Amino acid sequence: MAEFSLTKSEIAGVVLAGGRSQRMGRDKASVMLGAESLLRHVLSRLSPQVSSIAVNADAAEEDVPVIPDRISGKAGPMAGIHAAMTHAAAIPSVTHVATVSVDCPFFPADLVARLAATLERPSQIAIAASEGRSHPVFGLWPVTLAADLESWIATDEKRRVRDFLLRHDVTEVAFPLHPTRASLLDPFFNINTPDDLVEAQRWLEALRT
């Protein structure tokens, strides 16, 4: 049996930016970190890793394709992943979509390549982990799962990402902490509150030196 492998041309990328941002009090995508918005930080980090890129949101200030949820009612992150799968499925030669969250500006520059390298079958999902915790919105998803995901969202009341993953073949990839001049940074550090934004600014400065 031939070994399964993915190329960059077969992987689209989507930034999940459709959350309500209640703890931040404003749209996270447009929050400034240093001289750039969080969305711009994340787009710049993901773009070199995929063949095309889009943003799952109702609107975005950056010049990039925007794909809103196809499932109404703000059904959570899985609705964003469903929109990402459906969008990517319409792109010729693309078989998988990589998703990342807009509030995590320091995710690994080799995220997609490392996720792809662990896949053994076309139907398998790969998700990231660090410090013993999984980060399922940082995932590599077969676009063929879109119909199953849509059905699951319609029938599952809790709509937890992990519950959907239990239905499928999943591999988890552990990423190490990233050394900075200050200390070790969890690359999946996420910005939920104004205090987190202050801490993210310190990490940004530590990474620059």
Side-chain angles (χ1 to χ4, degrees):
M1 182 183 295
E3 183 177 348
F4 174 70
S5 64
L6 278 178
T7 64
K8 179 178 173 180
S9 65
E10 296 171 300
I11 304 171
V14 173
V15 179
L16 303 176
R20 299 185 182 186
S21 306
Q22 291 177 326
R23 284 187 285 171
M24 180 61 71
R26 52 190 166 131
D27 177 27
K28 286 190 204 176
S30 60
V31 167
M32 299 301 291
L33 176 62
E36 296 183 317
S37 68
L38 284 182
L39 179 55
R40 176 45 55 189
H41 279 283
V42 172
L43 287 171
S44 297
R45 206 159 186 83
L46 183 59
S47 291
Q49 303 188 47
V50 293
S51 62
S52 64
I53 198 161
V55 177
N56 166 237
D58 294 328
E61 296 179 1
E62 303 291 342
D63 184 18
V64 63
V66 175
I67 52 169
D69 288 354
R70 292 172 174 260
I71 297 169
S72 62
K74 291 292 183 182
M78 293 309 291
I81 292 170
H82 171 263
M85 287 180 185
T86 306
H87 164 78
I91 303 173
S93 81
V94 167
T95 61
H96 288 68
V97 62
T99 58
V100 301
S101 177
V102 75
D103 61 6
C104 294
F106 308 121
F107 68 86
D110 62 350
L111 171 75
V112 177
R114 288 197 55 195
L115 292 177
T118 67
L119 295 180
E120 299 177 348
R121 292 166 291 281
S123 60
Q124 198 169 32
I125 301 166
I127 63 170
S130 64
E131 293 265 84
R133 293 178 294 113
S134 60
H135 307 290
V137 295
F138 287 85
L140 187 58
W141 310 83
V143 299
T144 53
L145 294 182
D148 179 66
L149 178 53
E150 182 173 358
S151 175
W152 177 83
I153 291 172
T155 56
D156 189 283
E157 292 183 2
K158 295 182 179 179
R159 295 172 178 168
R160 293 182 298 201
V161 180
R162 288 172 178 81
D163 289 343
F164 179 75
L165 293 175
L166 289 173
R167 296 161 55 94
H168 294 282
D169 181 9
V170 180
T171 182
E172 190 171 277
V173 183
F175 288 81
L177 300 183
H178 185 78
T180 76
R181 68 178 179 88
S183 59
L184 294 174
L185 167 65
D186 184 339
F188 300 100
F189 172 83
N190 65 311
I191 301 169
N192 286 318
T193 67
D195 287 344
D196 292 337
L197 183 61
V198 172
E199 184 177 353
Q201 184 62 51
R202 291 196 292 266
W203 284 119
L204 183 65
E205 293 168 0
L207 287 165
R208 285 175 172 168
T209 57

